[in-house]
Amino acid sequence: MNNNLLKALGDSLEGTLDYTDLGRKLYATDASVYRKTPLAVAFPRTNEDIVKLLRFASEHQVGIIPRTAGTSLAGQCVGEGIVVDVSKHFTRILELDVEKKQVRVQPGVIRDELNTYLAEYGLFFGPNTSTSNRCMIGGMVGNNSSGTTSIQYGVTRDKVLELKTVLHDGSTALFHELSTEEFLHKTKEDTVEGNIYKNIHKELSNSEIQKNINTEFPKKSIHRRNTGYAVDSLLESELFGGESPGINLCSLLSGSEGTLAFTTEITLALDDLPPVHSAMVVTHYETLKTCLADVAPLMQHTLYLCEMMDKVILDCTKNNRAQLANRFFVQGDPAALLMLEVRAESEQLLQDKVTSLLKSITASGNSYAHPVLSGPDINKAIELRKAGLGLLGNMVGDRKAVACIEDTAVALEDLSGFIAEFTGIMDSYNQQAVYYAHAGAGELHLRPILNLKKKEDVVLFRKITTDVARLTKKYKGSFSGEHGDGIVRAEFIPLMIGEANYELLRRVKSYFDPKGILNPGKIVDAYPMDESLRYEVGRQELEIRTFMDFSDSEGILKAAEKCNGSGDCRKTHHSAGAMCPSYHATRNEKDTTRGRANVLREVLTHEGDTNRFDNATLKEAMDLCLSCKACGSECPSNVDMSSLKSEFLYQYQKANGFSLRSRLFAYNTTLNRLGSKWPRLTNAMYSSKSFGGILKKMTGVAPARSLPKVSSVDFDKVLKSSVNKEVTNKKKVLLYIDEFTRYLDTDLGEDAVVLLTTLGYDVDLFYGESGRTYISKGFLEQAKKLAAKNIDALSGKLDEDWVLIGLEPSAILTFRDEYKRFGLNQEIVDKIATRSLLIEEFLAAEIRLGHLSGEAFTKEAKTVKLHVHCHQKALSDQKVSFDLLNLPENYKVTIINSGCCGMAGSFGYEEEHYDISMAIGELRLFPAVRKSGPEVLIAANGTSCRHQIKDGTSRTALHPVSILRNALV
């Protein structure tokens, strides 16, 4: 299409229209196996924008693909037309009626954030997907989502009361429950909406059509039936011979994947919050068969959750930093386990329910272990289960657990037999499938493990899907339970419901969308399920040389391909964790880990013959990555964007040169070393408006950003004067005097020496530049030289009993992270990595061992609020800092739910990044600090974090070590 037409369309919108190369690459994929590059991406601000988009599409015969979080597994929100992303601006909760228990929202409202809002009113929206911290109500309606809670609270279709929509021609329609009389009145209206009602009435009044629907559609006992359009639900109305007095076309639109109308507002029915008291019994099984045998009998109890995880997924959790801790309840090596949650209004009633459930479990004899979880442990287990989808992307190599047959639902009494036959199909293809999810609802997410880059596996992709579709039909099940038909299953709808019913669906589509512009290729007239795949089939795998070692992912391209699109990085600052800080501030897809991984994959796969990293689109995508490393632990697929960005910067700058500013930041330690020779003069110059202002202007540093002060201390002299002649703790510690401690945070270095020697440790000093400034700016050759120098210096001490303890997380943790990618002696690097600890890690371990107590510290009461460095959150545990600060017995410590501070080393200094840096701080950290009274101690162990807190709040934050040094008696 002519770009002039797109420009004119974009100019007419209050929102924006992006038809750049970057925008189109970002939206070419979702969480499915498909890839279709759109014509453009629209971000409407108003309903009128959506009207204009639909009229444009109708005039020019262009597809409109609605999209919210883009976590669809079946390819629902990829297409070659205009993707319309409502996640940025259609995000308001419009009206709450507490008495009626109803809420009206825009489609871009996040499910968990809606429930946070509703909680104070004692209400919640029941359907609960594994993506609930970023999935949006519009997408849940489009897919008829259900999730873990459906066995008690039903599916989204059950909750949709009213939909405000825009129809294919730009006219609007409000769908809600009508009486028979009101429905018939609608059929007489001479409008697009009236024509829809007239034709629906004509079709479903036909007794032959009713018979076909009742004969061919999935069993009505299956609550999660979402194959095609839900015309079967309309037959429940008195108008068509059913028992329901009213009729609501919202049940037809729910699960229609945006193929019938474009939704702008949604009114939902709400439920009372579930009973407060809860417990979870986790049954462990040696075989899948015994696990499934327990499902039906245990569902006789009033369960609020009955979820299954198999060994494949459980094994994936072992390699994920964030989920490893959530495995605490797993005993032995189960082939499968069930998570069974019960709830009650009192502890006594809860205990009665648990006792009754355990009695049934014991009676069956199938489970070899069944621990009972309570309190926060339940949420940890649920988080482990929710991570299942993303964790499947963490399988190294090209063989992945593929979504194609993962949404089958059958009647509960059929589940065991269905799975037995399904396993037979898998065995016939020599396939080890993945089994997990909603056992209590008769739906397991079953996935074959395939390499869709290979032609023979693409053939298997179709064969397996076809065979399982036939099996599902045999059991009169639903091939789509909650993930939708999309591209992957739409082809099989005629098989599932019969040709006559399929033709009915095609006619229904034509009544709503005669030109076929609304999400074409989904549900009816489907795209082929084995074409338009994310990867080119049979391609010759590219060998992309990198400076850093990405062999743990089989190369940098496969490191990017680990992203399966699950979109965990799209959670906002209202959720726990730091990923992804720039997205929290901008709400732009390009600023997610997924967005960056998608663009990196696209560029490395499809562009350039020499240095594929020399790409302006890729540079733009990487620009706002803060290298916080949160994705390395919070992303279930462990996409390490920080390392990928460092490699990109190295390769890009090799082709384009290193800027003066990048050089100054990379070689910052050299400059600080020189400045520390005359600290007063240097600091006076930095602080002066004239020289400091000129320096900032010349180097591109934000005028509002303060420059760090340098200082100089003889640490050897400090140690000599601080040595405790009575060493009571025999452990030898090497205190790492890194580049930040040596020239910027010298007071902190002194505090550490005094604290450690006072506590009786045998302290020696290790001086060395970590290379952090070089790594962050892509100067990898220089960083490797420093790493080699440090490893060489420490390798000679490996026969001795020591640990290397560091104060600055971004420095000491390079020994455990980036140093492993520099191609040095891996055995020695690994040995040194195991001995390289944050000072908090070391001292917290000493507390646990009983080597350290609060006797040496003040009894004075103080309140401490703690912000922990992102690298520590990603590579270690913030609890060690919390535990350490609790040493003084009357210190009350709380961890600020702060995410990333926004500084990220040089990022927050750079003029073009300053506003984003401060915006990130304003989301959580700054408000929490400002709310703290002057008597409250603010703790932050990162040098950048302390600087950011000072610039953003005018409060001085202290490292935990300094707080403890000041607390010594």
Side-chain angles (χ1 to χ4, degrees):
M1 175 174 283
N2 189 322
N3 278 356
N4 290 333
L5 284 173
L6 294 174
K7 184 180 185 305
L9 173 62
D11 289 345
S12 73
L13 303 176
E14 290 188 42
T16 55
L17 186 73
D18 184 358
Y19 46 95
T20 65
D21 184 53
L22 173 59
R24 296 170 69 234
K25 280 181 166 64
L26 285 167
Y27 284 82
T29 53
D30 52 9
S32 73
V33 298
Y34 298 102
R35 172 181 177 269
K36 283 181 174 288
T37 303
L39 180 67
V41 184
F43 302 93
R45 280 187 178 273
T46 63
N47 289 350
E48 185 58 30
D49 278 353
I50 293 172
V51 169
K52 289 176 181 177
L53 287 163
L54 281 162
R55 286 176 177 165
F56 178 91
S58 182
E59 180 182 352
H60 297 283
Q61 200 59 39
V62 172
I64 290 287
I65 302 100
R67 178 166 169 143
T68 49
T71 58
S72 46
L73 294 166
Q76 290 96 316
C77 53
V78 297
E80 292 160 347
I82 299 174
V83 172
V84 182
D85 184 349
V86 295
S87 70
K88 191 172 175 70
H89 301 304
F90 280 68
T91 58
R92 288 185 297 143
I93 298 171
L94 300 169
E95 182 183 14
L96 172 64
D97 189 323
V98 176
E99 287 188 11
K100 290 184 177 179
K101 298 182 183 178
Q102 295 177 7
V103 68
R104 183 164 58 91
V105 301
Q106 291 183 312
V109 171
I110 293 172
R111 186 267 183 189
D112 280 1
E113 292 179 15
L114 172 62
N115 278 348
T116 298
Y117 166 79
L118 295 171
E120 66 175 289
Y121 303 98
L123 301 170
F124 85 124
F125 174 59
N128 180 24
T129 67
S130 65
T131 57
S132 62
N133 64 356
R134 68 265 189 200
C135 81
M136 298 175 178
I137 300 301
M140 294 184 74
V141 172
N143 274 356
N144 186 32
S145 300
S146 46
T148 59
T149 56
S150 69
I151 56 177
Q152 279 294 329
Y153 295 104
V155 301
T156 299
R157 179 179 289 126
D158 302 327
K159 309 298 181 184
V160 178
L161 300 175
E162 188 172 278
L163 293 174
K164 185 176 180 181
T165 67
V166 181
L167 301 178
H168 77 93
D169 66 335
S171 62
T172 60
L174 183 67
F175 293 100
H176 56 96
E177 184 171 77
L178 301 174
S179 66
T180 296
E181 183 180 349
E182 289 169 328
F183 187 100
L184 293 174
H185 179 75
K186 283 277 189 184
T187 65
K188 297 172 184 175
E189 294 179 4
D190 187 20
T191 61
V192 173
E193 181 186 1
N195 188 59
I196 290 169
Y197 280 98
K198 179 175 67 179
N199 283 294
I200 294 289
H201 181 251
K202 179 189 71 176
E203 295 283 5
L204 297 186
S205 298
N206 185 309
S207 59
E208 189 64 28
I209 287 176
Q210 290 187 12
K211 181 181 177 183
N212 283 338
I213 291 171
N214 289 323
T215 302
E216 297 288 347
F217 266 64
K219 290 181 180 179
K220 291 183 179 180
S221 62
I222 303 169
H223 207 178
R224 294 163 175 253
R225 57 187 199 279
N226 206 44
T227 298
Y229 299 133
V231 290
D232 55 333
S233 68
L234 298 183
L235 297 186
E236 297 170 8
S237 165
E238 283 180 352
L239 180 63
F240 301 121
E243 298 180 357
S244 176
I247 182 167
N248 192 340
L249 291 193
C250 289
S251 63
L252 186 70
L253 290 166
S254 298
S256 67
E257 303 176 10
T259 63
L260 301 180
F262 197 111
T263 300
T264 58
E265 290 181 15
I266 302 158
T267 301
L268 300 167
L270 305 172
D271 288 291
D272 291 324
L273 284 170
V276 174
H277 302 281
S278 63
M280 178 180 285
V281 181
V282 185
T283 51
H284 292 55
Y285 302 91
E286 293 179 345
T287 66
L288 182 65
K289 183 177 180 180
T290 53
C291 175
L292 292 172
D294 261 2
V295 173
L298 296 182
M299 277 294 293
Q300 298 303 309
H301 296 264
T302 305
L303 300 179
Y304 282 74
L305 184 144
C306 178
E307 297 288 299
M308 190 187 109
M309 293 181 76
D310 76 346
K311 177 176 168 55
V312 176
I313 284 196
L314 286 169
D315 284 350
C316 286
T317 64
K318 295 177 181 177
N319 301 318
N320 181 272
R321 294 178 192 132
Q323 296 305 326
L324 187 60
N326 291 337
R327 287 178 49 91
F328 66 95
F329 61 89
V330 179
Q331 299 181 20
D333 188 23
L337 51 78
L338 289 175
M339 297 176 175
L340 312 165
E341 186 183 24
V342 291
R343 287 182 173 268
E345 296 293 350
S346 70
E347 283 290 351
Q348 183 56 56
L349 286 173
L350 178 68
Q351 191 53 53
D352 292 345
K353 289 187 175 186
V354 171
T355 301
S356 176
L357 180 58
L358 288 172
K359 185 176 179 181
S360 296
I361 292 166
T362 304
S364 82
N366 289 324
S367 168
Y368 71 80
H370 25 268
V372 181
L373 311 183
S374 60
D377 286 347
I378 295 175
N379 285 333
K380 291 176 185 176
I382 291 173
E383 284 305 308
L384 188 78
R385 154 64 192 93
K386 281 189 169 187
L389 166 63
L391 289 168
L392 292 172
N394 204 16
M395 301 172 73
V396 176
D398 288 331
R399 283 169 52 79
K400 303 289 184 186
V402 175
C404 56
I405 53 172
E406 87 296 344
D407 205 27
T408 55
V410 296
L412 200 57
E413 64 271 16
D414 295 331
L415 182 60
S416 186
F418 173 82
I419 293 298
E421 289 195 57
F422 169 82
T423 303
I425 292 172
M426 293 297 101
D427 288 345
S428 72
Y429 289 113
N430 295 315
Q431 273 285 318
Q432 178 192 9
V434 180
Y435 303 76
Y436 75 105
H438 318 297
E443 177 176 10
L444 292 183
H445 293 332
L446 312 163
R447 295 190 180 213
I449 299 173
L450 300 170
N451 176 4
L452 293 185
K453 294 178 182 177
K454 293 169 60 178
K455 184 177 180 180
E456 54 267 37
D457 276 22
V458 174
V459 172
L460 273 182
F461 179 49
R462 175 175 284 279
K463 284 184 176 180
I464 289 171
T465 307
T466 303
D467 286 354
V468 175
R470 288 173 177 150
L471 176 65
T472 307
K473 177 65 175 177
K474 173 183 173 181
Y475 281 89
K476 213 176 179 186
S478 178
F479 204 37
S480 298
E482 62 174 342
H483 295 165
D485 294 312
I487 298 173
V488 75
R489 282 178 285 274
E491 263 195 71
F492 300 93
I493 293 175
L495 168 64
M496 302 309 301
I497 63 173
E499 287 291 344
N501 284 325
Y502 177 67
E503 288 303 317
L504 169 65
L505 300 194
R506 294 186 74 230
R507 293 195 298 275
V508 168
K509 164 74 169 175
S510 72
Y511 303 145
F512 279 89
D513 181 25
K515 292 188 176 181
I517 63 170
L518 288 166
N519 212 3
K522 324 293 164 57
I523 299 186
V524 299
D525 300 321
Y527 296 128
M529 61 86 67
D530 49 2
E531 296 180 13
S532 301
L533 299 174
R534 184 178 290 205
Y535 308 117
E536 181 185 347
V537 179
R539 78 181 191 197
Q540 184 175 353
E541 282 301 296
L542 302 168
E543 288 188 25
I544 299 171
R545 292 187 178 183
T546 56
F547 187 89
M548 298 176 85
D549 180 5
F550 292 96
S551 59
D552 56 345
S553 299
E554 298 184 1
I556 192 168
L557 178 56
K558 291 183 184 178
E561 290 175 350
K562 283 165 67 175
C563 174
N564 62 6
S566 63
D568 296 68
C569 46
R570 280 185 61 101
K571 63 184 180 180
T572 72
H573 66 283
H574 297 295
S575 295
M579 182 177 69
C580 191
S582 53
Y583 175 73
H584 292 168
T586 70
R587 300 296 177 91
N588 291 328
E589 176 73 16
K590 80 175 181 65
D591 300 320
T592 63
T593 303
R594 175 175 76 178
R596 295 180 183 112
N598 279 340
V599 174
L600 179 59
R601 185 196 69 246
E602 288 278 321
V603 168
L604 293 183
T605 304
H606 300 291
E607 297 188 17
D609 295 319
T610 52
N611 183 353
R612 292 173 185 248
F613 297 93
D614 183 13
N615 184 282
T617 297
L618 183 54
K619 182 175 184 292
E620 185 180 352
M622 291 291 185
D623 182 51
L624 294 187
C625 173
L626 281 75
S627 297
C628 68
K629 295 185 181 293
C631 50
S633 59
E634 294 177 35
C635 169
S637 301
N638 294 142
V639 176
D640 180 7
M641 191 52 61
S642 177
S643 295
L644 296 174
K645 181 180 180 180
S646 291
E647 183 67 38
F648 159 73
L649 287 173
Y650 171 74
Q651 301 286 354
Y652 183 85
Q653 290 171 136
K654 261 186 25 175
N656 295 279
F658 295 81
S659 70
L660 172 63
R661 186 177 68 181
S662 290
R663 290 180 185 275
L664 290 174
F665 280 126
Y667 286 89
N668 186 250
T669 301
T670 302
L671 298 175
N672 289 338
R673 184 184 301 117
L674 291 171
S676 68
K677 295 182 183 294
W678 307 279
R680 288 186 181 179
L681 175 61
T682 302
N683 292 333
M685 293 169 67
Y686 282 177
S687 301
S688 73
K689 289 186 177 179
S690 55
F691 182 84
I694 293 170
L695 180 63
K696 290 176 185 178
K697 190 170 184 178
M698 288 175 58
T699 57
V701 170
R705 180 66 73 185
S706 66
L707 296 175
K709 294 182 178 180
V710 297
S711 53
S712 179
V713 166
D714 187 338
F715 287 106
D716 291 315
K717 187 180 290 186
V718 173
L719 178 60
K720 190 174 182 181
S721 65
S722 304
V723 168
N724 187 339
K725 294 180 181 178
E726 295 183 19
V727 174
T728 55
N729 290 295
K730 294 182 180 180
K731 192 77 173 178
K732 175 86 171 180
V733 297
L734 296 180
L735 178 61
Y736 180 33
I737 306 297
D738 58 64
E739 60 268 37
F740 307 103
T741 306
R742 192 168 187 180
Y743 303 115
L744 298 176
D745 301 317
T746 54
D747 288 349
L748 170 59
E750 291 185 79
D751 290 341
V753 171
V754 172
L755 178 67
L756 290 168
T757 54
T758 302
L759 294 176
Y761 290 99
D762 182 9
V763 180
D764 204 351
L765 304 179
F766 177 75
Y767 296 92
E769 186 177 353
S770 68
R772 170 56 54 203
T773 59
Y774 293 108
I775 293 167
S776 68
K777 304 309 289 184
F779 289 68
L780 297 183
E781 293 175 24
Q782 294 87 334
K784 181 176 180 178
K785 288 177 182 177
L786 288 172
K789 182 180 178 182
N790 290 334
I791 294 299
D792 186 58
L794 290 168
S795 62
K797 301 175 181 285
L798 282 173
D799 292 336
E800 304 169 26
D801 184 20
W802 53 265
V803 290
L804 180 70
I805 58 175
L807 298 164
E808 169 55 37
S810 67
I812 186 65
L813 292 175
T814 56
F815 288 80
R816 284 164 35 184
D817 190 21
E818 286 92 350
Y819 282 17
K820 294 184 177 183
R821 295 196 182 277
F822 283 146
L824 304 172
N825 186 313
Q826 200 62 49
E827 183 180 354
I828 293 175
V829 170
D830 288 342
K831 286 181 179 178
I832 292 172
T834 61
R835 298 196 192 189
S836 302
L837 304 174
L838 289 162
I839 191 168
E840 295 103 309
E841 289 178 314
F842 171 70
L843 292 176
E846 291 289 280
I847 295 169
R848 290 194 298 273
L849 292 169
H851 298 165
L852 196 56
S853 70
E855 294 178 2
F857 299 97
T858 181
K859 301 291 191 265
E860 184 182 357
K862 284 187 183 288
T863 300
V864 183
K865 289 195 173 180
L866 170 66
H867 166 76
V868 174
H869 194 286
C870 286
H871 290 190
Q872 177 178 343
K873 292 172 187 172
L875 299 168
S876 176
D877 183 357
Q878 57 186 341
K879 188 175 182 297
V880 294
S881 299
F882 173 83
D883 291 345
L884 183 60
L885 284 168
N886 273 293
L887 257 182
E889 63 181 61
N890 292 317
Y891 275 28
K892 182 182 178 182
V893 187
T894 55
I895 298 174
I896 302 171
N897 177 23
S898 50
C900 177
C901 75
M903 186 65 155
S906 63
F907 181 89
Y909 286 94
E910 294 165 346
E911 187 170 15
E912 70 274 23
H913 296 147
Y914 175 79
D915 288 344
I916 289 288
S917 169
M918 300 307 282
I920 292 168
E922 288 290 356
L923 291 173
R924 286 186 275 184
L925 177 59
F926 293 171
V929 172
R930 291 192 193 107
K931 286 178 185 176
S932 305
E935 76 286 353
V936 175
L937 296 174
I938 305 299
N941 62 351
T943 184
S944 290
C945 305
R946 295 191 294 275
H947 196 138
Q948 177 80 326
I949 290 169
K950 184 70 174 177
D951 281 358
T953 69
S954 300
R955 289 288 297 269
T956 298
L958 298 173
H959 193 289
V961 162
S962 296
I963 291 175
L964 288 186
R965 190 264 169 99
N966 295 337
L968 288 170
V969 293

